[in-house]
Amino acid sequence: MIREQDLPLLVDLYELAMAQAYWSEGMQERAVFSLFFRDMPEHRNFVLACGQRNICEVLENLRFTDDHISRLRQLNRFQEGFLEWLRGFRFSGTVRAMPEGTPVFPQEPLLEIEAPIAEAQLLESLVMNYVHLESVLASKAVRVALAARGRSVADFGLRRMHGVDAGHRSARAYRLAGLSATSNVLAGLDFGLEVTGTMAHSFVQAYPRELEAFQVYATLYPGTTLLVDTYDSRRAVRRIVEWLKSDPDARVGAIRLDSGDLGAEAKDCRKILDDAGYQDIKIVASGGLDEYGIARLLEEGAPIDAFGVGTSIGVAVDAPSLELAYKLTQYAGEPKMKSSSGKVSYPGAKQVFRQFDSSGRVSGDIVALSHEQHDGKPLLEVVMENGRTVAGAVPPLDEQVRQADARLKALPERLLGIERAEPLRVTISEELKTLQAETLARVSV
């Protein structure tokens, strides 16, 4: 497990090698690196950008310790002078970033880092990994939340996620995406999500009689949710009804269905409960669900009040990666760009202007150079200056969640469905296109 104090070593070797080359050549001018993606994943209408401001705390605290220096020395690749430079490393640059939970589109920088080139280069893999994880998970989870049409969705994904770091930080991304609860105790406590859970089938199996397991659990946890599909869901619900009628003090808040034809079972169980007068007992569904399964169940009229979703959001199963790029766009005041086939980038420090129609819905974005002025709301704001986080730039998580919800609701209605829709119009400014053409002509010589 990676310790937070070891994050300075979470780099790819070539970043250290390039940093040493910059150091040895005396290249200390400021550079601008831009973090963006070129193409929208196939199953997404937008990417929910997360992590690009929360990483400020990580950048502030990066320090190479004596132990780090000793371990790097073992690689026999670095000069003593450079290792001493690393020992004194403190990020001194500027970070401009979009707010947490901002819907973003291709070619739009989620953040830009301006710093002496060696400093900015060292951050590449750490920044990309940090932002990639939360953005990928949030972009899947928001689709599940949208499909649930306001019903509660709980995260059940910890056990199959790719590492404990993902299992922990996912909860912050899920809150920004609109999920309401998690079964992950540590993550829920750390990031303010309701901690929820029922029981495993093993608890029911451990008792000689299914009803006895239910009675023990409901006595210990009044108002709990009972998992009813270990053997036969309908029979289990009938037994619960008989028990509740015989014991007026017993309280059950919900039943949970985790297998089989969830729609048919939910309808039958709802009827059993309603006919017995237990309309207040809710039905929770889980078991291999994703946004498509949830949408289908609700379209069929399944009387399900809440959902538990695990693997599909925990590993973002249909789009588990985002082709993030961290590219040099300016050095020593001169625009820089990549021009290889299929990966042409835009030079210069940038700004994204989000435009709205008369109803307050997003009508389009303009990607422009940072000094340009356009109609709309500029999305990139200075969040770190001289290596320190700007006061108020990273608001409390509750406020981030509130703002993210407002940004989502401002999107065009077509983008808030789970089927692929006509993309948002993203315009490249004429000045940026001109600078790209001029830079391309210069680097092609």
Side-chain angles (χ1 to χ4, degrees), residues 25-75:
E25 291 297 308
M27 294 177 64
Q28 302 175 10
E29 299 292 334
R30 293 178 75 83
V32 175
F33 282 81
S34 182
L35 183 71
F36 66 98
F37 60 95
R38 294 185 177 89
D39 299 302
M40 187 67 71
E42 181 180 356
H43 303 288
R44 302 288 181 266
N45 287 322
F46 59 88
V47 165
L48 196 65
C50 295
Q52 66 276 3
R53 289 203 181 186
N54 289 323
I55 199 173
C56 289
E57 182 179 0
V58 175
L59 300 185
E60 268 194 14
N61 294 318
L62 284 180
R63 304 286 188 273
F64 285 87
T65 66
D66 290 343
D67 178 62
H68 296 155
I69 300 302
S70 176
R71 295 173 71 183
L72 288 174
R73 190 177 285 117
Q74 295 171 20
L75 297 176

Side-chain angles (χ1 to χ4, degrees), residues 38 54 127 135 211 261 298 306 358 397 405:
R38 294 185 177 89
N54 289 323
V127 168
S135 297
L211 183 59
D261 185 334
L298 296 182
S358 57
L397 184 54
D405 181 63

Side-chain angles (χ1 to χ4, degrees), residues 5-190:
Q5 60 264 37
D6 287 336
L7 289 179
L9 293 185
L10 197 65
V11 296
D12 286 309
L13 178 61
Y14 79 102
E15 290 151 21
L16 284 167
M18 286 190 292
Q20 178 170 251
Y22 294 140
W23 169 83
S24 66
E25 291 297 308
M27 294 177 64
Q28 302 175 10
E29 299 292 334
R30 293 178 75 83
V32 175
F33 282 81
S34 182
L35 183 71
F36 66 98
F37 60 95
R38 294 185 177 89
D39 299 302
M40 187 67 71
E42 181 180 356
H43 303 288
R44 302 288 181 266
N45 287 322
F46 59 88
V47 165
L48 196 65
C50 295
Q52 66 276 3
R53 289 203 181 186
N54 289 323
I55 199 173
C56 289
E57 182 179 0
V58 175
L59 300 185
E60 268 194 14
N61 294 318
L62 284 180
R63 304 286 188 273
F64 285 87
T65 66
D66 290 343
D67 178 62
H68 296 155
I69 300 302
S70 176
R71 295 173 71 183
L72 288 174
R73 190 177 285 117
Q74 295 171 20
L75 297 176
N76 295 318
R77 298 180 67 97
F78 303 113
Q79 300 173 32
E80 284 301 317
F82 175 66
L83 292 176
E84 286 304 309
W85 180 86
L86 288 179
R87 193 191 304 276
F89 172 89
R90 304 289 185 272
F91 178 62
S92 66
T94 297
V95 178
R96 297 164 55 248
M98 290 188 177
E100 295 286 324
T102 297
V104 294
F105 304 90
Q107 297 297 340
E108 299 182 346
L110 285 65
L111 66 75
E112 290 196 329
I113 293 177
E114 181 180 349
I117 191 167
E119 287 186 30
Q121 191 74 72
L122 281 175
L123 303 180
E124 178 176 356
S125 292
L126 178 60
V127 168
M128 290 183 69
N129 181 282
Y130 201 92
V131 176
H132 181 270
L133 171 66
E134 294 191 27
S135 297
V136 164
L137 296 181
S139 299
K140 179 64 174 181
V142 71
R143 291 170 55 82
V144 173
L146 290 169
R149 304 179 192 173
R151 292 165 178 79
S152 174
V153 178
D155 153 46
F156 287 177
L158 173 62
R159 65 192 64 188
R160 294 193 181 98
M161 295 186 74
H162 296 162
V164 293
D165 183 58
H168 181 242
R169 282 175 39 217
S170 62
R172 180 168 57 199
Y174 293 158
R175 276 203 69 190
L176 290 162
L179 268 60
S180 58
T182 181
S183 63
N184 183 335
V185 175
L186 177 62
L189 292 173
D190 281 352

Side-chain angles (χ1 to χ4, degrees), residues 396-418:
L397 184 54
D398 286 350
E399 179 62 17
Q400 292 181 25
V401 171
R402 187 193 66 77
Q403 293 178 9
D405 181 63
R407 293 186 193 95
L408 283 168
K409 288 177 178 175
L411 286 176
E413 194 70 34
R414 70 181 186 276
L415 299 182
L416 297 176
I418 60 174

